[in-house]
């Protein structure tokens, strides 16, 4: 697999990463530990070098699984993790310097590494000045516990504040064909400052794969069961996004998931999406997107089609997490 650099940082990773959250958190039908480890090692064997986790995924269990799975590949893979919540729960923000230092020490142990390659603030904490957060990470970099600093779901104001104190390597935010807000809100500042972009949920939490429809029922333990976008009427309206991908997929001999990922890769050379999966066959399918080069006509068909759908108002309503993020993450 080809590699990409995240902005101007010099951090080189596979052009597709692996979002590890779903192996132990957020979705139903999670694999057992051995299966999760096997999928992660399959990913390495197939060329993926960039893995994303966080202390709150589980909590804690995701980092532990990632640590065991990737231990044989130390020095050959890049591991990203996150801080920003209190006591391993995403119910309350906490980016106080003492919390950041504590979380890093515990994450290093679970991940079985000496240095965290990329450390994100999981969500901006409005009670802690961004300069203090970035300064704490700067100290951790100086001490050798961290190599690179990242932000997740931060807006331009906080990106600039953080970057002025400690260069930001990457911003991680939701981005896909049906959630394109980063194009308007942060792409310009990322390009200006030389910061990479790591889209999570690049397949719309599975919706853009074409493997679900308005009749799909999610279990209670599946986070999608309470997202407005996954309610029946919204899934019916947004099937139009999948239809666009399906048409291009038929023309190219690819799958809708591969087209969705290839479209993201074509947007900017400093973008590295991190699709997740629990199955080796889906992993292989996702990796196939890296070899799919969409023509200018195909890219235009997808983008303009999505623009028309959004103009009609078929886009899903904003979910609660987006409303919260906008209030605290200017």
């Amino acid at each position: 697999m080809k590699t990409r650099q995240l902005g101007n940082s010099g951090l080189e990773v596979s052009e597709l990463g692996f979002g590890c959250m779903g192996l132990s958190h957020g979705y139903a039908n999670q694999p057992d530990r051995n299966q999760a480890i096997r999928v992660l090692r399959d990913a390495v064997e197939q060329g993926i070098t960039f893995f994303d986790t966080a202390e709150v995924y589980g909590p804690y269990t995701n980092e532990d699984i990632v640590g065991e799975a990737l231990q044989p590949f130390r020095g050959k893979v890049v591991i990203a993790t996150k801080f920003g919540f209190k006591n391993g729960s995403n119910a309350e923000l906490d980016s106080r310097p003492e919390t950041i230092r504590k979380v890093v020490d515990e994450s290093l142990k679970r991940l079985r590494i000496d240095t965290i390659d990329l450390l994100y603030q999981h969500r901006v904490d409005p009670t802690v000045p961004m300069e203090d957060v970035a300064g704490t990470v700067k100290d951790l970099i100086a001490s050798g516990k961290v190599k690179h600093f990242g932000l997740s779901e931060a807006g331009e104001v906080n990106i600039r504040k953080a970057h002025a104190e400690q260069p930001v390597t990457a911003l991680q935010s939701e981005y896909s064909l049906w959630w394109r807000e980063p194009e308007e809100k942060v792409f310009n500042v990322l390009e200006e400052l030389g910061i990479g972009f790591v889209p999570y949920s690049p397949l719309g939490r599975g919706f853009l794969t074409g493997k679900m429809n308005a009749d799909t029922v999610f279990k209670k333990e599946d986070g999608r069961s309470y997202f407005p976008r996954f309610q029946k009427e919204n899934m019916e309206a947004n099937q139009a996004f999948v239809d666009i991908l399906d048409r291009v997929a038929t023309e190219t001999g690819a799958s809708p998931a591969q087209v969705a990922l290839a479209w993201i890769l074509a947007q900017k050379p400093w973008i590295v999406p991190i699709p997740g999966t629990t199955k080796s066959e889906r992993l292989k399918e996702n990796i196939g997107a890296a070899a799919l080069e969409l023509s200018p006509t195909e890219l235009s068909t997808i983008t303009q089609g999505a623009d028309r759908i959004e103009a009609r108002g078929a886009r899903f309503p904003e979910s609660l997490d987006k409303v919260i993020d906008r209030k605290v993450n200017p």
Side-chain angles (χ1 to χ4, degrees):
M1 185 183 293
K2 295 178 182 178
T3 60
R4 292 188 170 193
Q5 281 200 20
L6 288 174
N8 298 335
S9 67
L11 182 59
E12 188 171 319
V13 298
S14 54
E15 61 181 347
L16 279 177
F18 191 108
C20 303
M21 183 189 77
L23 296 174
S24 65
H25 182 84
Y27 298 101
N29 303 318
Q30 294 165 3
D32 65 29
R33 187 182 183 91
N34 289 335
Q35 290 174 311
I37 289 171
R38 180 66 265 166
V39 170
L40 289 169
R41 291 179 177 174
D42 283 348
V44 178
E45 291 167 5
Q46 295 183 52
I48 290 180
T49 64
F50 185 35
F51 296 85
D52 180 89
T53 183
E55 65 152 356
V56 295
Y57 300 161
Y60 312 126
T61 53
N62 201 265
E63 284 186 325
D64 190 55
I65 290 169
V66 171
E68 181 178 347
L70 300 183
Q71 190 170 16
F73 308 103
R74 287 179 63 173
K76 298 180 181 178
V77 297
V78 172
I79 298 177
T81 192
K82 310 174 191 73
F83 66 86
F85 290 104
K86 188 173 183 177
N87 298 326
S89 168
N90 60 8
E92 185 176 353
L93 296 169
D94 185 356
S95 281
R96 293 173 298 165
E98 60 268 31
T99 300
I100 298 172
R101 290 189 287 266
K102 179 175 180 289
V103 168
V104 164
D105 286 341
E106 293 173 351
S107 291
L108 285 168
K109 292 176 183 177
R110 287 189 291 269
L111 291 167
R112 299 163 172 80
I113 53 178
D114 300 318
T115 305
I116 294 169
D117 296 299
L118 176 57
L119 180 68
Y120 293 103
Q121 183 186 35
H122 209 149
R123 291 292 186 272
V124 172
D125 185 342
T127 68
V128 180
M130 180 56 76
E131 293 84 355
D132 291 353
V133 173
T136 302
V137 177
K138 184 176 184 177
D139 292 342
L140 290 166
I141 291 172
S143 70
K145 292 183 177 182
V146 174
K147 291 182 181 178
H148 296 271
F149 176 36
L151 298 172
S152 180
E153 292 287 4
E156 180 176 351
V157 172
N158 279 308
I159 292 170
R160 291 189 182 280
K161 285 181 180 180
H163 194 73
E165 182 67 28
Q166 167 60 43
V168 176
T169 291
L171 175 74
Q172 180 178 137
S173 294
E174 182 175 356
Y175 180 58
S176 69
L177 187 65
W178 75 340
W179 182 261
R180 293 168 56 198
E181 185 180 82
E183 295 174 1
E184 305 168 5
K185 300 290 186 179
V186 295
F187 272 21
N188 285 343
V189 69
L190 297 181
E191 197 143 34
E192 174 194 337
L193 300 178
I195 297 171
F197 185 56
V198 179
Y200 71 81
S201 296
L203 295 174
R205 292 178 170 87
F207 183 74
L208 297 178
T209 66
K211 296 180 173 67
M212 62 179 69
N213 56 45
D215 294 322
T216 300
V217 177
F218 300 100
K219 296 180 179 179
K220 282 186 178 181
E221 61 267 30
D222 193 310
R224 292 170 293 189
S225 64
Y226 55 83
F227 283 169
R229 69 187 80 174
F230 287 101
Q231 301 306 308
K232 183 179 178 67
E233 63 275 17
N234 293 325
M235 292 177 73
E236 287 176 345
N238 289 297
Q239 179 62 34
F241 288 104
V242 181
D243 292 342
I244 295 171
L245 296 171
D246 193 51
R247 287 198 297 272
V248 176
T250 299
E251 295 169 1
T252 58
S255 71
Q258 290 171 333
V259 174
L261 292 171
W263 177 84
I264 289 177
L265 288 169
Q267 300 309 301
K268 299 289 182 180
W270 34 264
I271 294 180
V272 179
I274 50 169
T277 184
T278 62
K279 299 178 176 66
S280 292
E281 59 267 28
R282 294 286 173 253
L283 169 66
K284 186 176 181 180
E285 178 184 353
N286 290 345
I287 288 173
L292 177 61
E293 187 170 344
L294 298 172
S295 71
T297 299
E298 290 160 346
L299 290 168
S300 178
T301 295
I302 296 167
T303 302
Q304 291 180 13
D307 288 342
R308 287 193 294 271
I309 295 167
E310 292 182 12
R312 295 201 306 265
R315 188 177 187 170
F316 60 84
E318 287 188 306
S319 58
L320 180 60
D321 61 317
K322 293 299 172 192
V323 175
I324 293 172
D325 283 336
R326 187 166 291 110
K327 287 179 179 177
V328 302
N329 296 351

